[in-house]
Amino acid sequence: MDLNKVIIKNYRQYRDIVIDFARDSNENFTVIKGNNGTGKTTLLNALSWCLYGEEIHDYKDDSSMSICNNKSLKLAENNSDILVCVEMEFIDENDEILSFRRSRKFHKTNDDLIADAFGDTFEVITQDGDDFVITEDNAVYIVESRIPKDIEDYFFFDGARLSEYFQNTSNKKIKDAVLELSQLNLILTLNNNLKNVEERYIKKQKDIAPVLGRANEEISNLNSQVNIYETSLETSKNKLKEFSNELKIVEEELMKSNVNEVSEKSKRDKELKRRIKKAKSNVNSAKEKRRKLILETYPYMLSYNYFTHFLKYGESTRKKGFIPPKFKRGFLEDMLKEGICICGADLKTDTAHRKAIEALLEETNPLTDKSEEITLAIAHVKEVILKDLKSFKADLKEYKQIIAENEADLDEMIEERKTIRAFLEKYSEDRIKELTSLKTSYEKEIRNHERNMGRCESEISSIRKKIGKWKKVQTQEAKMQIELEEYNKKINFTRNAIDAAKTVRSELTENMRLKIENLTKEKFIKIQWKDDEFVDIRLDQNYGVFVKNRTGKEERPGDLSDGEKLCLGLCFMSALHNVSGFELPIVMDTPLGNLDVDMRHNIAEFLPQFVGGKQIVLLVTSTEYTDDFRETLLDHVGKEYTIEWNNSEDGKESRVVLDG
Amino acid sequence: MARAKGTEGRRLTYDDEDNEIYTNLIASSTPFKKLSIIDLFSIALIKGKKLGIRTELGDGAIGRVRKSTIDGTNLRYLMMAIASDEEKSIDVLTDENKYFTICEEYAKTGIELINSEVLNKRNKILDDMEDELLKFYDKYLGES
């Protein structure tokens, strides 16, 4: 089923647009370019809203924003209606039109927008020859039968988030999606229906022949129990295999890690860290002492000569009798000023005495007043300053030796620690703890599943014995009740059909897994941009993906680069499409956002092969859709559009304009 | 001769421009980081004396350290020795203002020299000072 046309009116920033999609089998790509914010994702939302009445992306920052275009609201007269409408027109396998049209009516009152409580409609327009039938009654059912909502994510998706696919989606969810997409769940429905038919026959049989009916009822119940145990047994077998593989990987890594060596090296690393810290502290402290010694000694050592001269001047002054002085000059001056001698003579009247003191004053040097200070200075210079200088060289030598020794040790220890760190980075103690814990947990899981398998096998064997007994009763009764033979045949046929359906489902599921594995591998290995980087892909029973690199090691998708993850996501998605029974177009929003130039080129080259003739709609930014990318893809592009954004006084509007 | 200004009882006289040099040398990452004003002044003094140039203090110079803080420190005796050498006599010690001023003028030359050395040599200053110290040590104290 191809998408032929989309008509959007008054939906968010789209007031009135029609997009025709490329449908030619050789040129089935439609490219819609638009810068961020112009409305690419809104287009995706419009499709989702049309089909299911829900939008894929929330407008979180403005959740109250109406889906009605604000320009249409502004231009509309008060008391008039505005119809928001999205129509998707498909051309089905019989070349007939199948359209889905959803609309919502709004009313403008006092410049406010009010949704019409009865204004929501969803219609399906089907073509029957030259006639077109519009129906509302079965619209939802028709959508569900052609494009079920459960598979929407696999056809309309945000390419920028594809690389998160394996991280955010559990294996169980992927497996369910595969069963949903491949329609294998239909067999499950068939099984349930057969079971109901069987129950009905048994009930009738029981009415006619209670013992036989009871026997059949018991056999049926016991078979159900066997089924439960068999499913559990199968799950445990798969899990056992899975955990055994994981255990093997963990044990190999542990063996390589050499646990004792890591423990010793970790201890040594801690010791070295402590010693390096201590040595650094010693170096810093000795350097600081050296600096202090130099700065404090410098002025005094360089003044050595001045100090020795000072001592000489002091000595000379001492010899002259100024230090210590017989009299201080100030003392004589005070006596003359006060007019009384120390002996009690009145110097104002006793002229001879006064003259003698004046003569003494004449002979006395002013230095005598500073005699204590100078005496103290001479002693300090001699006993403290010059003595301290003597220890300078020895102190300096000691500090420099400490620095040199510790620095040598530091170099050695840093070098040793570097080697140890390199070793520990490969086999960290934390990693070993993690591995040991994983090992324990896997061993526990294996034991549990082994126990469960034993229990299931024993239960199955015991139930089968009971079934055997009831079958004997059934045979004896049946012999007597010929008329019930018909029902027995029907019941046996139903049971055989159930068994067959079960086998078919199991085989198809396995085939499906192998097919998806092969398709993913074929595509992913082909698209690789680094030669021979990856050589194989494995899907386990639950669709867990493992990528084997050229060294033979299996990597999980989480270990791959963003580009590799996106590429793997595309390949896996493409493989799912290939096996799905749904012939629908794929709409991808910004699929190339995270990719580098080489990857884009590879994707452009291989994308047409990936999607195997499916109709594709790419919503891209101009940075994604480079000249190189376009050039490579051009042969497959049937139509190119550009989203033009206009923000006028009346409001915002986007138009989708066909290029060329 | 420069006039010493400022609060009575304070010496180690220099102007605001030199004060900024002292503050920067002590605060920033130089070999003189965290040194006291007295110790840095001592080094400036001997650097100026070694060069043999005294620079007038100028009108903006004020005493920066309380006299009681200087008394009893090695600097006080260093100043006495240098002033005595300058005047070839210890008589200068009777005029405290004079011998302080002699030393402050040498220190003014010295601090500007240190500042330019810091800019040119950075941490090599310390190694040069160490070499100089060892030469003096060997010359005057080596035998003892």
Side-chain angles (χ1 to χ4, degrees):
Chain A
M1 198 161 71
D2 287 345
L3 183 59
N4 185 44
K5 193 183 282 183
V6 168
I7 303 163
I8 305 179
K9 285 188 195 301
N10 299 323
Y11 176 83
R12 296 201 180 272
Q13 62 256 57
Y14 295 104
R15 285 195 71 213
D16 188 5
I17 61 157
V18 177
I19 308 171
D20 288 311
F21 293 90
R23 292 179 52 231
D24 189 308
S25 57
N26 295 321
E27 293 178 347
N28 51 5
F29 276 61
T30 302
V31 177
I32 302 175
K33 293 171 285 177
N35 291 330
N36 289 332
T38 54
K40 293 188 303 301
T41 305
T42 303
L43 268 180
L44 204 61
N45 271 345
L47 305 186
S48 179
W49 184 74
C50 172
L51 293 172
Y52 312 110
E54 288 171 13
E55 294 174 318
I56 294 177
H57 294 272
D58 285 342
Y59 292 85
K60 282 176 188 155
D61 52 339
D62 192 2
S63 54
S64 62
M65 194 167 104
S66 161
I67 61 165
C68 179
N69 179 269
N70 65 359
K71 189 171 176 180
S72 301
L73 167 64
K74 195 160 184 187
L75 294 177
E77 297 288 327
N78 269 321
N79 299 320
S80 65
D81 291 335
I82 306 168
L83 193 68
V84 176
C85 175
V86 179
E87 181 172 344
M88 292 172 77
E89 183 181 287
F90 290 90
I91 305 290
D92 71 11
E93 43 287 354
N94 301 320
D95 224 15
E96 290 187 331
I97 287 174
L98 172 65
S99 289
F100 300 97
R101 183 164 64 206
R102 186 179 295 276
S103 55
R104 180 172 292 172
K105 197 195 282 178
F106 290 90
H107 192 72
K108 183 176 175 180
T109 310
N110 297 330
D111 292 331
D112 265 350
L113 195 64
I114 297 164
D116 185 333
F118 303 101
D120 281 9
T121 55
F122 182 49
E123 300 162 317
V124 176
I125 301 131
T126 47
Q127 186 181 0
D128 184 8
D130 292 334
D131 294 332
F132 288 91
V133 183
I134 301 176
T135 173
E136 273 189 68
D137 298 343
N138 298 322
V140 175
Y141 170 76
I142 295 170
V143 169
E144 270 305 313
S145 66
R146 307 300 294 253
I147 317 166
K149 174 134 181 55
D150 285 348
I151 65 158
E152 176 196 24
D153 286 351
Y154 298 89
F155 288 88
F156 306 154
F157 55 84
D158 182 350
R161 298 183 60 193
L162 198 59
S163 62
E164 299 166 16
Y165 183 76
F166 296 102
Q167 276 138 305
N168 297 344
T169 315
S170 71
N171 289 346
K172 168 86 169 61
K173 211 172 157 193
I174 295 175
K175 186 175 182 179
D176 289 347
V178 171
L179 295 178
E180 190 70 51
L181 271 175
S182 60
Q183 304 183 57
L184 281 180
N185 280 345
L186 290 177
I187 300 178
L188 202 62
T189 315
L190 170 72
N191 251 350
N192 291 337
N193 288 340
L194 284 169
K195 197 93 188 120
N196 290 337
V197 172
E198 184 196 9
E199 276 170 19
R200 274 205 310 277
Y201 288 145
I202 291 171
K203 193 169 177 296
K204 282 188 178 171
Q205 202 183 42
K206 207 174 162 188
D207 290 342
I208 301 165
V211 177
L212 190 60
R214 165 97 201 278
N216 272 325
E217 195 176 50
E218 288 294 337
I219 290 169
S220 175
N221 288 339
L222 291 168
N223 273 336
S224 296
Q225 286 177 34
V226 168
N227 268 342
I228 292 167
Y229 284 116
E230 275 179 348
T231 309
S232 176
L233 183 67
E234 192 58 30
T235 308
S236 279
K237 273 183 187 169
N238 286 334
K239 288 279 174 195
L240 187 69
K241 208 169 158 187
E242 198 181 304
F243 285 120
S244 299
N245 279 338
E246 295 287 353
L247 183 65
K248 202 175 147 194
I249 294 168
V250 167
E251 280 176 340
E252 275 172 11
E253 200 177 334
L254 270 173
M255 216 146 71
K256 278 187 210 156
S257 308
N258 195 344
V259 182
N260 289 339
E261 199 179 346
V262 169
S263 165
E264 274 168 26
K265 288 214 190 283
S266 289
K267 233 186 259 172
R268 177 69 181 153
D269 183 54
K270 277 181 198 155
E271 168 71 9
L272 283 172
K273 190 179 169 189
R274 191 186 58 75
R275 285 181 53 199
I276 286 171
K277 195 177 166 191
K278 176 88 178 125
K280 277 184 180 167
S281 157
N282 289 345
V283 168
N284 288 338
S285 158
K287 278 186 176 171
E288 185 54 25
K289 282 179 182 165
R290 168 187 170 256
R291 182 180 82 100
K292 217 170 156 215
L293 179 71
I294 290 170
L295 294 175
E296 285 178 357
T297 312
Y298 188 81
Y300 303 97
M301 183 71 84
L302 268 76
S303 299
Y304 189 85
N305 265 338
Y306 311 135
F307 284 123
T308 52
H309 292 160
F310 179 69
L311 293 178
K312 276 181 201 161
Y313 293 139
E315 181 61 19
S316 149
T317 311
R318 193 186 61 78
K319 280 181 183 166
K320 286 176 189 166
F322 300 148
I323 305 169
K326 284 180 189 161
F327 303 102
K328 280 191 180 177
R329 196 178 163 85
F331 171 68
L332 298 172
E333 280 171 348
D334 284 349
M335 279 196 296
L336 287 171
K337 196 177 167 189
E338 284 172 18
I340 299 170
C341 178
I342 195 168
C343 64
D346 186 348
L347 298 176
K348 286 170 192 161
T349 53
D350 188 343
T351 315
H353 213 128
R354 179 184 173 83
K355 279 187 179 170
I357 291 176
E358 280 173 348
L360 200 57
L361 181 66
E362 191 68 25
E363 288 168 14
T364 307
N365 190 293
L367 274 176
T368 52
D369 284 341
K370 296 278 180 184
S371 63
E372 282 99 350
E373 201 180 325
I374 294 168
T375 309
L376 191 66
I378 289 168
H380 189 85
V381 167
K382 210 189 283 182
E383 298 301 323
V384 180
I385 296 178
L386 294 182
K387 267 193 181 167
D388 280 355
L389 290 179
K390 286 181 184 163
S391 65
F392 167 74
K393 200 170 176 180
D395 290 346
L396 184 69
K397 194 177 166 188
E398 184 193 333
Y399 300 148
K400 288 178 87 168
Q401 198 170 343
I402 293 171
I403 293 169
E405 281 171 5
N406 279 284
E407 279 182 341
D409 284 353
L410 260 176
D411 286 347
E412 215 170 279
M413 289 189 291
I414 287 170
E415 201 52 42
E416 188 186 347
R417 190 153 187 246
K418 216 187 278 176
T419 316
I420 289 176
R421 294 304 307 167
F423 175 86
L424 290 177
E425 258 168 39
K426 270 203 280 180
Y427 308 111
S428 78
E429 212 170 16
D430 287 347
R431 176 69 185 144
I432 286 178
K433 274 183 198 158
E434 190 189 339
L435 287 172
T436 313
S437 153
L438 275 175
K439 185 174 180 259
T440 314
S441 126
Y442 290 151
E443 284 170 343
K444 193 177 163 195
E445 289 286 351
I446 288 170
R447 277 197 304 276
N448 286 344
H449 286 293
E450 279 172 346
R451 262 202 299 272
N452 187 48
M453 282 165 64
R455 189 175 67 90
C456 288
E457 278 163 355
S458 145
E459 289 289 344
I460 289 168
S461 158
S462 148
I463 294 168
R464 284 204 169 126
K465 274 181 196 160
K466 285 181 192 167
I467 291 173
K469 279 181 193 164
W470 280 110
K471 276 190 173 166
K472 267 185 194 166
V473 174
Q474 191 187 37
T475 315
Q476 283 165 3
E477 281 293 305
K479 276 178 193 166
M480 293 184 283
Q481 312 273 348
I482 298 162
E483 60 182 302
L484 293 174
E485 204 172 323
E486 192 62 27
Y487 278 116
N488 258 343
K489 278 182 188 167
K490 284 179 181 173
I491 290 167
N492 282 335
F493 174 80
T494 324
R495 281 178 188 156
N496 289 339
I498 290 171
D499 283 348
K502 213 167 86 182
T503 313
V504 166
R505 184 172 186 267
S506 163
E507 282 173 5
L508 283 178
T509 306
E510 182 58 9
N511 285 343
M512 189 65 61
R513 188 185 65 76
L514 290 172
K515 198 169 175 188
I516 292 172
E517 183 182 88
N518 283 334
L519 283 169
T520 309
K521 178 164 55 182
E522 192 181 294
K523 289 168 194 291
F524 185 69
I525 303 299
K526 192 186 277 182
I527 201 179
Q528 275 181 73
W529 57 102
K530 294 177 209 162
D531 287 344
D532 302 332
E533 177 71 26
F534 301 111
V535 293
D536 201 5
I537 282 187
R538 180 170 71 83
L539 291 188
D540 69 14
Q541 297 297 326
N542 291 313
Y543 287 79
V545 181
F546 298 85
V547 185
K548 192 183 270 185
N549 64 27
R550 62 177 155 192
T551 66
K553 198 183 158 203
E554 282 192 337
E555 293 181 35
R556 294 286 174 83
D559 299 330
L560 304 180
S561 71
D562 277 354
E564 289 165 341
K565 257 184 274 181
L566 190 135
C567 183
L568 183 62
L570 266 177
C571 295
F572 188 69
M573 200 66 94
S574 155
L576 287 184
H577 279 219
N578 224 311
V579 299
S580 85
F582 295 95
E583 282 306 322
L584 292 170
I586 300 171
V587 185
M588 281 192 265
D589 184 13
T590 53
L592 311 164
N594 294 334
L595 301 184
D596 60 30
V597 178
D598 289 347
M599 271 289 283
R600 277 185 198 165
H601 183 82
N602 272 300
I603 296 221
E605 202 175 324
F606 290 109
L607 193 57
Q609 293 176 46
F610 280 6
V611 293
K614 267 188 188 288
Q615 191 190 17
I616 300 289
V617 180
L618 293 179
L619 300 165
V620 291
T621 61
S622 51
T623 23
E624 282 180 291
Y625 197 57
T626 57
D627 289 345
D628 181 45
F629 184 86
R630 181 174 183 270
E631 192 61 34
T632 317
L633 199 66
L634 203 57
D635 285 349
H636 301 274
V637 177
K639 282 188 166 53
E640 280 180 326
Y641 290 91
T642 303
I643 304 178
E644 289 181 357
W645 167 252
N646 178 270
N647 191 0
S648 68
E649 276 181 13
D650 291 330
K652 298 165 184 173
E653 182 179 0
S654 288
R655 288 197 182 90
V656 181
V657 181
L658 185 64
D659 290 353
Chain B
M1 194 63 66
R3 179 170 56 90
K5 281 170 73 180
T7 319
E8 198 184 347
R10 281 179 181 266
R11 288 306 301 222
L12 305 195
T13 305
Y14 44 81
D15 56 23
D16 288 347
E17 210 174 309
D18 285 351
N19 188 44
E20 202 180 323
I21 299 177
Y22 274 93
T23 311
N24 280 343
L25 287 172
I26 288 167
S28 58
S29 180
T30 72
F32 305 99
K33 194 179 175 183
K34 290 185 180 171
L35 221 55
S36 70
I37 294 278
I38 287 179
D39 284 340
L40 184 53
F41 182 89
S42 309
I43 297 168
L45 167 58
I46 194 60
K47 287 259 183 195
K49 173 71 178 162
K50 203 160 64 108
L51 206 64
I53 298 172
R54 281 161 59 182
T55 309
E56 280 195 32
L57 297 176
D59 287 344
I62 54 170
R64 306 281 173 171
V65 179
R66 224 180 288 275
K67 238 177 107 268
S68 58
T69 309
I70 305 163
D71 290 342
T73 62
N74 283 354
L75 171 63
R76 181 73 183 222
Y77 307 116
L78 178 67
M79 288 197 290
M80 285 178 171
I82 284 175
S84 304
D85 184 79
E86 184 74 6
E87 297 292 314
K88 305 296 173 208
S89 156
I90 59 169
D91 289 354
V92 68
L93 302 184
T94 58
D95 185 349
E96 196 175 78
N97 185 47
K98 188 176 178 184
Y99 84 74
F100 261 105
T101 304
I102 290 168
C103 293
E104 285 159 350
E105 286 178 349
Y106 274 131
K108 181 166 177 59
T109 309
I111 198 70
E112 280 158 18
L113 180 67
I114 291 172
N115 194 37
S116 75
E117 281 182 351
V118 164
L119 293 174
N120 296 325
K121 298 185 186 174
R122 301 299 301 178
N123 289 334
K124 198 175 169 291
I125 297 177
L126 209 62
D127 295 338
D128 290 350
M129 287 169 88
E130 182 184 321
D131 290 345
E132 231 177 320
L133 277 166
L134 288 169
K135 275 181 200 155
F136 266 76
Y137 184 92
D138 291 342
K139 187 171 176 186
Y140 298 111
L141 298 162
E143 299 298 313
S144 58

